[in-house]
Amino acid sequence: MDDNVYICCEYARSSIGSCKACPKAIPKNAVKIGFTPDFDHCGTIWFHFSCFFKKCFFRKQLKDDTETSSVFVGFKDLTDTDQERIRKARQKLKLALKTGNPETKKGKRTADDDESEWKPHTKKSKTATHSEKELTVGKHTYQIQDFLYINISRWKDIVLVGIREYYRPATGGKLRPGKKGISLTVDQYRTLIDEKLSISKAIEQIKEDKEGKDAIKKKKTKQTKKGKQVVAKTDFDISENRRIIVKSEFISGSQQVVVDIREYSTVEQSGEIPLPTDKGITLTEEQWNKLLSLHLTVIRDLADNFGYSEDFADELSA
């Protein structure tokens, strides 16, 4: 093999990167294969599992008799199942190259060559009818309170955790998702849960204030022994344009502490002032605590039905 080029493989850390052959996004946690001029993966060009072998990249290196674990950098970090997939794909390619008939034909993909080779593995289901495509309360959907639910879904290979209010159509039937709510990526959901202790602390801090809104505003800054001002943290970023704000609001005839999870935009003229959008949900303290109580159920569902590993579930449960 060329000393200046390495073939490497690993699990995709996010769904941001795209394949340089198709070029569709490479889903998070899917096996991706690429080549790089550097052993440390600097400047790596990545491909889907099937795209890499279908395009027959580095035929000379792949068809020799070198042990597969020595050909692919990072091979030993994959699960036994994925290691075996690479071995079989390489063997299939070697056979095709030896017979002079590499599989580069167009048309319907085979079972060993379809998208399931590079997407996180999920259970296949029959084609949904028009009515079945409409999201209803049921599978992967868990009630927080009344018409408020948390739902796990997939959109264009991206897994989303939605927190949304539902409504019942005037004509009757099952509940359907309304416009009031927000859908988070798994990474954003993870950040939301990681901030749970800080959010709970902010809730208690605001609840302790007995003097109304003016006192709440004053309490956002306090004096230390050295006389320096310290801002009490009540807002938390979960992505570049999404934020959690703990605040006091007048709801149902009483002042309550709420956790607002919302997407923000920036005014073009200022470029600095974040403005709240309609994409968001405001949770009462009771609803927030219920959401936290459903956390283990959510990550178990992600691991069992959306291709996330047991290690991921254990990490998110910690």
Side-chain angles (χ1 to χ4, degrees):
M1 184 181 295
D2 190 336
D3 293 337
N4 295 322
V5 176
Y6 298 90
I7 301 177
C8 43
C9 55
E10 64 178 38
Y11 294 109
R13 298 183 178 87
S14 69
S15 301
I16 298 176
S18 61
C19 174
K20 296 304 181 291
C22 22
K24 296 181 180 179
I26 302 176
K28 183 178 179 180
N29 294 333
V31 177
K32 60 180 182 178
I33 303 178
F35 58 86
T36 175
D38 191 296
F39 187 83
D40 293 326
H41 296 202
C42 294
T44 305
I45 299 175
W46 293 108
F47 304 87
H48 291 123
F49 181 98
S50 59
C51 287
F52 183 86
F53 287 101
K54 185 177 180 181
K55 297 298 182 181
C56 301
F57 293 104
F58 293 95
R59 294 182 182 181
K60 293 182 180 179
Q61 291 90 331
L62 292 173
K63 73 178 183 179
D64 62 24
D65 295 327
T66 306
E67 174 61 34
T68 301
S69 59
S70 300
V71 174
F72 292 83
V73 177
F75 182 83
K76 295 181 180 179
D77 294 330
L78 303 181
T79 64
D80 294 341
T81 300
D82 288 326
Q83 288 182 14
E84 186 61 25
R85 286 173 61 211
I86 291 180
R87 289 194 185 96
K88 288 182 178 179
R90 184 189 178 202
Q91 186 62 34
K92 186 177 179 179
L93 177 60
K94 288 170 64 177
L95 180 61
L97 293 173
K98 185 177 181 180
T99 58
N101 185 31
E103 294 190 357
T104 57
K105 61 182 180 181
K106 297 182 179 180
K108 187 175 181 180
R109 295 182 176 185
T110 64
D112 293 332
D113 191 31
D114 66 11
E115 294 181 350
S116 65
E117 287 293 331
W118 49 265
K119 284 185 179 178
H121 294 291
T122 57
K123 295 181 180 179
K124 294 184 178 180
S125 60
K126 63 179 182 179
T127 303
T129 63
H130 177 72
S131 60
E132 290 173 336
K133 289 179 180 179
E134 295 179 2
L135 179 62
T136 56
V137 175
K139 197 172 183 181
H140 314 305
T141 305
Y142 309 98
Q143 187 177 38
I144 296 175
Q145 188 184 68
D146 297 331
F147 289 89
L148 182 64
Y149 291 82
I150 183 169
N151 169 268
I152 307 173
S153 60
R154 189 186 299 275
W155 182 78
K156 292 186 177 180
D157 300 326
I158 301 175
V159 178
L160 298 173
V161 180
I163 308 169
R164 190 168 299 277
E165 287 188 0
Y166 281 59
Y167 71 97
R168 192 178 300 281
T171 55
K174 295 183 178 181
L175 293 176
R176 296 182 181 179
K179 294 182 179 180
K180 194 172 183 179
I182 190 168
S183 294
L184 308 174
T185 65
V186 175
D187 285 341
Q188 291 169 355
Y189 173 73
R190 183 203 298 257
T191 303
L192 172 69
I193 298 302
D194 286 345
E195 295 286 1
K196 63 182 180 181
L197 294 179
S198 297
I199 292 172
S200 297
K201 184 177 180 181
I203 291 173
E204 292 304 317
Q205 174 183 307
I206 295 177
K207 284 173 61 178
E208 288 173 1
D209 197 316
K210 305 297 182 181
E211 299 179 11
K213 292 184 178 179
D214 292 338
I216 291 173
K217 292 179 181 178
K218 292 178 181 178
K219 195 168 183 179
K220 286 186 177 179
T221 59
K222 60 182 180 179
Q223 296 292 327
T224 64
K225 293 181 179 180
K226 295 182 179 180
K228 296 181 180 179
Q229 286 189 335
V230 178
V231 178
K233 191 171 180 61
T234 55
D235 60 283
F236 311 87
D237 292 331
I238 55 177
S239 70
E240 184 177 355
N241 64 336
R242 294 188 169 188
R243 180 178 298 176
I244 312 162
I245 294 182
V246 183
K247 56 185 178 180
S248 179
E249 280 193 358
F250 196 76
I251 300 176
S252 301
S254 63
Q255 201 75 20
Q256 297 186 42
V257 181
V258 299
V259 178
D260 188 69
I261 308 168
R262 192 163 302 278
E263 183 172 303
Y264 283 74
S265 61
T266 303
V267 178
E268 294 183 0
Q269 288 83 349
S270 65
E272 297 292 338
I273 304 173
L275 296 176
T277 68
D278 293 334
K279 292 182 180 180
I281 192 75
T282 301
L283 306 177
T284 64
E285 182 184 2
E286 181 181 358
Q287 292 168 343
W288 167 250
N289 290 333
K290 179 62 176 179
L291 183 147
L292 293 180
S293 71
L294 291 170
H295 175 55
L296 293 180
T297 302
V298 171
I299 61 174
R300 186 72 268 160
D301 197 347
L302 286 169
D304 291 344
N305 301 294
F306 290 86
Y308 288 88
S309 66
E310 292 296 326
D311 291 340
F312 164 83
D314 292 341
E315 178 186 347
L316 205 53
S317 301

